[in-house]
Amino acid sequence: MSEPNLHPETLAIRAGRETSEFNEHSQALFLSSSFTYDNAADAAAMFLGEKEGYTYSRFSNPTVTAFQQRLAALEGGERAIATASGMAAIQGVMLTFLKAGDHIVSSQSLFGSTINLFSGLLTRFGVEVSFVSATDPEAWRAAIRPNTRLLFLETPSNPLTEISDIAALADLAHAHDALLVVDNCFCSPALQQPLRLGADLVVHSATKSLDGHGRVHGGAVVGNDALIEQIYLHVRTAGPTLSPFNAWVLLSGLETLFIRMERQCASALALAQWLETQPGVKRVFYPGLASHPQHALAMRQQSAGGTVVSFELEGGRDAAWRIYDACQVLSRTANLGDVKTTITHPASTTHARVTPEARAKAGIGEGLLRISVGLEHIDDLKQDLLRGLC
Ligand SMILES: *Cc1c(COP(=O)(O)O)cnc(C)c1O
């Protein structure tokens, strides 16, 4: 369904639908690894791609198609390809568009596994990676080489919520015939649509706010038909396909995306403002705060500050672990984007495998805590943090 006149809140509920002969009202779960053909000519046409239809769920599946269509509608993209996880989506983009001898420029402020994928797998396969500051357009420009194929960033970044200028970096990429790839995990399409700002591809960890309930892993890439077709051909061959069950769970997650994000962002802003007034808190990182260095840019690109608030404690690791260990409501877990508020100590968990030098370069100190704000009452969250804040 492509209905340009419908609002995003409506598309999150109504876009993308694959019905069976029964005309079921809710999206059906098609648990079938393969599909049958009416006759030999039909089978041949389908395998050659001359006839549309389902053959094998590693290639495509009706429930997965419904999720892809809905997410593409929300991001304002022509098409999406779903993957087994966010990392599978990022890996799929890299293996589709890069070869030995190519170069990419990447933000240095990234999800830990993404840093490891770039400095490990990509480097091992002969792709050079330059890591630059997310917020310094000059550093991006200076890092471009004749063999630069792709620019990659997350905005807001994990965990420091640094903001990159999507439109400016899209212009830079296109001036050098490179692709701009944006990880839109922290905002989701409810707050930010990078394709509309000039990005070529959006990647998602659907595991986070698209599901919103911490139930399943999933990922996706969204973009124009030509680019997604190339990634699709890679994914259907290499195999990191999204399971139909997970797509079915994610479709119900999308239905409440807007209302969840609206409330979670409001609570995150209130919590960030409150944390700024607490003794022992050195600095609060939240794009919705006027004190955030890229507040103006964030408010141009995003409709709200997001659900993730990070803060640095004067007392270093001891102070951070005291708060972390004292929590009785907040969940001690690395996940984010959940309706349950979660707390993370990045230096010892999500970014523990990143080298200390890379961690220092990315500004992730021992006193840093990251909170992904959920749907509990804000006063209960403050009360819980006060247990260890002293
Ligand atoms: C979680 C996350 C990923 C990886 O997603 P998985 O679904 O865990 O593979 C990528 N980018 C960001 C920003 C994330 O938070």
Side-chain angles (χ1 to χ4, degrees), residues 259-276:
I259 196 159
R260 281 187 283 111
M261 291 302 274
E262 192 178 314
R263 172 62 77 87
Q264 289 176 231
C265 289
S267 291
L269 176 60
L271 195 72
Q273 287 167 338
W274 175 79
L275 280 167
E276 275 195 318

PDB file of all heavy atoms in Angstrom, residues 259-276:
ATOM      1  N   ILE A 259       3.056   6.261  19.442  1.00  0.00           N
ATOM      2  CA  ILE A 259       2.561   6.624  20.776  1.00  0.00           C
ATOM      3  C   ILE A 259       3.602   6.284  21.846  1.00  0.00           C
ATOM      4  O   ILE A 259       3.775   7.022  22.819  1.00  0.00           O
ATOM      5  CB  ILE A 259       1.188   5.966  21.036  1.00  0.00           C
ATOM      6  CG1 ILE A 259       0.514   6.646  22.220  1.00  0.00           C
ATOM      7  CG2 ILE A 259       1.259   4.495  21.229  1.00  0.00           C
ATOM      8  CD1 ILE A 259      -0.986   6.429  22.229  1.00  0.00           C
ATOM      9  N   ARG A 260       4.340   5.194  21.631  1.00  0.00           N
ATOM     10  CA  ARG A 260       5.428   4.867  22.573  1.00  0.00           C
ATOM     11  C   ARG A 260       6.505   5.935  22.536  1.00  0.00           C
ATOM     12  O   ARG A 260       6.969   6.432  23.564  1.00  0.00           O
ATOM     13  CB  ARG A 260       6.044   3.508  22.224  1.00  0.00           C
ATOM     14  CG  ARG A 260       5.252   2.306  22.689  1.00  0.00           C
ATOM     15  CD  ARG A 260       6.020   0.999  22.462  1.00  0.00           C
ATOM     16  NE  ARG A 260       6.031   0.535  21.074  1.00  0.00           N
ATOM     17  CZ  ARG A 260       7.080   0.510  20.275  1.00  0.00           C
ATOM     18  NH1 ARG A 260       8.270   0.918  20.708  1.00  0.00           N
ATOM     19  NH2 ARG A 260       6.983   0.068  19.036  1.00  0.00           N
ATOM     20  N   MET A 261       6.944   6.280  21.326  1.00  0.00           N
ATOM     21  CA  MET A 261       8.047   7.237  21.193  1.00  0.00           C
ATOM     22  C   MET A 261       7.659   8.596  21.778  1.00  0.00           C
ATOM     23  O   MET A 261       8.477   9.261  22.406  1.00  0.00           O
ATOM     24  CB  MET A 261       8.464   7.383  19.725  1.00  0.00           C
ATOM     25  CG  MET A 261       9.141   6.162  19.146  1.00  0.00           C
ATOM     26  SD  MET A 261      10.636   5.625  20.021  1.00  0.00           S
ATOM     27  CE  MET A 261      11.876   6.639  19.246  1.00  0.00           C
ATOM     28  N   GLU A 262       6.415   8.998  21.561  1.00  0.00           N
ATOM     29  CA  GLU A 262       5.974  10.298  22.069  1.00  0.00           C
ATOM     30  C   GLU A 262       6.112  10.354  23.598  1.00  0.00           C
ATOM     31  O   GLU A 262       6.711  11.280  24.148  1.00  0.00           O
ATOM     32  CB  GLU A 262       4.509  10.495  21.654  1.00  0.00           C
ATOM     33  CG  GLU A 262       3.985  11.885  21.847  1.00  0.00           C
ATOM     34  CD  GLU A 262       2.539  11.988  21.371  1.00  0.00           C
ATOM     35  OE1 GLU A 262       2.222  11.483  20.271  1.00  0.00           O
ATOM     36  OE2 GLU A 262       1.733  12.547  22.117  1.00  0.00           O
ATOM     37  N   ARG A 263       5.608   9.330  24.278  1.00  0.00           N
ATOM     38  CA  ARG A 263       5.656   9.330  25.738  1.00  0.00           C
ATOM     39  C   ARG A 263       7.095   9.107  26.233  1.00  0.00           C
ATOM     40  O   ARG A 263       7.548   9.760  27.172  1.00  0.00           O
ATOM     41  CB  ARG A 263       4.723   8.250  26.299  1.00  0.00           C
ATOM     42  CG  ARG A 263       4.849   8.053  27.798  1.00  0.00           C
ATOM     43  CD  ARG A 263       4.487   9.313  28.583  1.00  0.00           C
ATOM     44  NE  ARG A 263       3.056   9.484  28.649  1.00  0.00           N
ATOM     45  CZ  ARG A 263       2.271   8.929  29.590  1.00  0.00           C
ATOM     46  NH1 ARG A 263       2.795   8.210  30.540  1.00  0.00           N
ATOM     47  NH2 ARG A 263       0.979   9.122  29.559  1.00  0.00           N
ATOM     48  N   GLN A 264       7.827   8.198  25.612  1.00  0.00           N
ATOM     49  CA  GLN A 264       9.191   7.898  26.069  1.00  0.00           C
ATOM     50  C   GLN A 264      10.105   9.113  25.889  1.00  0.00           C
ATOM     51  O   GLN A 264      10.952   9.380  26.721  1.00  0.00           O
ATOM     52  CB  GLN A 264       9.734   6.654  25.353  1.00  0.00           C
ATOM     53  CG  GLN A 264       9.054   5.372  25.830  1.00  0.00           C
ATOM     54  CD  GLN A 264       9.498   4.123  25.075  1.00  0.00           C
ATOM     55  OE1 GLN A 264       8.672   3.366  24.598  1.00  0.00           O
ATOM     56  NE2 GLN A 264      10.795   3.904  24.966  1.00  0.00           N
ATOM     57  N   CYS A 265       9.931   9.850  24.781  1.00  0.00           N
ATOM     58  CA  CYS A 265      10.756  11.047  24.560  1.00  0.00           C
ATOM     59  C   CYS A 265      10.425  12.121  25.597  1.00  0.00           C
ATOM     60  O   CYS A 265      11.325  12.813  26.093  1.00  0.00           O
ATOM     61  CB  CYS A 265      10.538  11.612  23.154  1.00  0.00           C
ATOM     62  SG  CYS A 265      11.223  10.603  21.847  1.00  0.00           S
ATOM     63  N   ALA A 266       9.151  12.271  25.937  1.00  0.00           N
ATOM     64  CA  ALA A 266       8.761  13.271  26.939  1.00  0.00           C
ATOM     65  C   ALA A 266       9.381  12.920  28.289  1.00  0.00           C
ATOM     66  O   ALA A 266       9.930  13.788  28.983  1.00  0.00           O
ATOM     67  CB  ALA A 266       7.240  13.349  27.037  1.00  0.00           C
ATOM     68  N   SER A 267       9.341  11.652  28.666  1.00  0.00           N
ATOM     69  CA  SER A 267       9.947  11.227  29.934  1.00  0.00           C
ATOM     70  C   SER A 267      11.465  11.380  29.895  1.00  0.00           C
ATOM     71  O   SER A 267      12.085  11.756  30.892  1.00  0.00           O
ATOM     72  CB  SER A 267       9.599   9.766  30.234  1.00  0.00           C
ATOM     73  OG  SER A 267       8.245   9.628  30.534  1.00  0.00           O
ATOM     74  N   ALA A 268      12.076  11.064  28.741  1.00  0.00           N
ATOM     75  CA  ALA A 268      13.536  11.170  28.620  1.00  0.00           C
ATOM     76  C   ALA A 268      13.974  12.618  28.813  1.00  0.00           C
ATOM     77  O   ALA A 268      14.959  12.897  29.511  1.00  0.00           O
ATOM     78  CB  ALA A 268      13.991  10.638  27.256  1.00  0.00           C
ATOM     79  N   LEU A 269      13.237  13.549  28.221  1.00  0.00           N
ATOM     80  CA  LEU A 269      13.582  14.970  28.383  1.00  0.00           C
ATOM     81  C   LEU A 269      13.457  15.388  29.846  1.00  0.00           C
ATOM     82  O   LEU A 269      14.354  16.029  30.402  1.00  0.00           O
ATOM     83  CB  LEU A 269      12.678  15.838  27.491  1.00  0.00           C
ATOM     84  CG  LEU A 269      12.866  17.350  27.627  1.00  0.00           C
ATOM     85  CD1 LEU A 269      14.290  17.760  27.263  1.00  0.00           C
ATOM     86  CD2 LEU A 269      11.861  18.111  26.753  1.00  0.00           C
ATOM     87  N   ALA A 270      12.373  14.969  30.480  1.00  0.00           N
ATOM     88  CA  ALA A 270      12.168  15.322  31.889  1.00  0.00           C
ATOM     89  C   ALA A 270      13.278  14.725  32.760  1.00  0.00           C
ATOM     90  O   ALA A 270      13.807  15.386  33.663  1.00  0.00           O
ATOM     91  CB  ALA A 270      10.798  14.835  32.356  1.00  0.00           C
ATOM     92  N   LEU A 271      13.663  13.498  32.468  1.00  0.00           N
ATOM     93  CA  LEU A 271      14.716  12.854  33.253  1.00  0.00           C
ATOM     94  C   LEU A 271      16.066  13.541  33.027  1.00  0.00           C
ATOM     95  O   LEU A 271      16.833  13.750  33.972  1.00  0.00           O
ATOM     96  CB  LEU A 271      14.807  11.364  32.876  1.00  0.00           C
ATOM     97  CG  LEU A 271      15.605  10.511  33.843  1.00  0.00           C
ATOM     98  CD1 LEU A 271      14.827  10.307  35.144  1.00  0.00           C
ATOM     99  CD2 LEU A 271      15.942   9.153  33.229  1.00  0.00           C
ATOM    100  N   ALA A 272      16.334  13.906  31.779  1.00  0.00           N
ATOM    101  CA  ALA A 272      17.605  14.579  31.455  1.00  0.00           C
ATOM    102  C   ALA A 272      17.688  15.922  32.185  1.00  0.00           C
ATOM    103  O   ALA A 272      18.729  16.275  32.761  1.00  0.00           O
ATOM    104  CB  ALA A 272      17.717  14.777  29.945  1.00  0.00           C
ATOM    105  N   GLN A 273      16.576  16.666  32.192  1.00  0.00           N
ATOM    106  CA  GLN A 273      16.555  17.974  32.875  1.00  0.00           C
ATOM    107  C   GLN A 273      16.760  17.784  34.373  1.00  0.00           C
ATOM    108  O   GLN A 273      17.482  18.547  35.013  1.00  0.00           O
ATOM    109  CB  GLN A 273      15.226  18.685  32.597  1.00  0.00           C
ATOM    110  CG  GLN A 273      15.147  19.207  31.168  1.00  0.00           C
ATOM    111  CD  GLN A 273      13.740  19.631  30.760  1.00  0.00           C
ATOM    112  OE1 GLN A 273      12.749  19.194  31.347  1.00  0.00           O
ATOM    113  NE2 GLN A 273      13.641  20.475  29.744  1.00  0.00           N
ATOM    114  N   TRP A 274      16.177  16.761  34.924  1.00  0.00           N
ATOM    115  CA  TRP A 274      16.310  16.478  36.360  1.00  0.00           C
ATOM    116  C   TRP A 274      17.754  16.058  36.685  1.00  0.00           C
ATOM    117  O   TRP A 274      18.342  16.529  37.662  1.00  0.00           O
ATOM    118  CB  TRP A 274      15.308  15.382  36.725  1.00  0.00           C
ATOM    119  CG  TRP A 274      15.404  14.892  38.132  1.00  0.00           C
ATOM    120  CD1 TRP A 274      14.913  15.502  39.252  1.00  0.00           C
ATOM    121  CD2 TRP A 274      16.024  13.677  38.576  1.00  0.00           C
ATOM    122  NE1 TRP A 274      15.195  14.749  40.359  1.00  0.00           N
ATOM    123  CE2 TRP A 274      15.874  13.617  39.985  1.00  0.00           C
ATOM    124  CE3 TRP A 274      16.689  12.627  37.932  1.00  0.00           C
ATOM    125  CZ2 TRP A 274      16.365  12.556  40.747  1.00  0.00           C
ATOM    126  CZ3 TRP A 274      17.178  11.581  38.685  1.00  0.00           C
ATOM    127  CH2 TRP A 274      17.018  11.545  40.077  1.00  0.00           C
ATOM    128  N   LEU A 275      18.322  15.204  35.843  1.00  0.00           N
ATOM    129  CA  LEU A 275      19.699  14.750  36.093  1.00  0.00           C
ATOM    130  C   LEU A 275      20.676  15.926  36.101  1.00  0.00           C
ATOM    131  O   LEU A 275      21.631  15.936  36.874  1.00  0.00           O
ATOM    132  CB  LEU A 275      20.127  13.724  35.024  1.00  0.00           C
ATOM    133  CG  LEU A 275      19.619  12.293  35.240  1.00  0.00           C
ATOM    134  CD1 LEU A 275      19.823  11.457  33.980  1.00  0.00           C
ATOM    135  CD2 LEU A 275      20.320  11.631  36.433  1.00  0.00           C
ATOM    136  N   GLU A 276      20.408  16.910  35.256  1.00  0.00           N
ATOM    137  CA  GLU A 276      21.295  18.085  35.202  1.00  0.00           C
ATOM    138  C   GLU A 276      21.354  18.825  36.538  1.00  0.00           C
ATOM    139  O   GLU A 276      22.316  19.529  36.798  1.00  0.00           O
ATOM    140  CB  GLU A 276      20.827  19.066  34.107  1.00  0.00           C
ATOM    141  CG  GLU A 276      21.353  18.736  32.724  1.00  0.00           C
ATOM    142  CD  GLU A 276      21.188  19.891  31.730  1.00  0.00           C
ATOM    143  OE1 GLU A 276      20.115  20.524  31.756  1.00  0.00           O
ATOM    144  OE2 GLU A 276      22.128  20.132  30.947  1.00  0.00           O
TER     145      GLU A 276
END
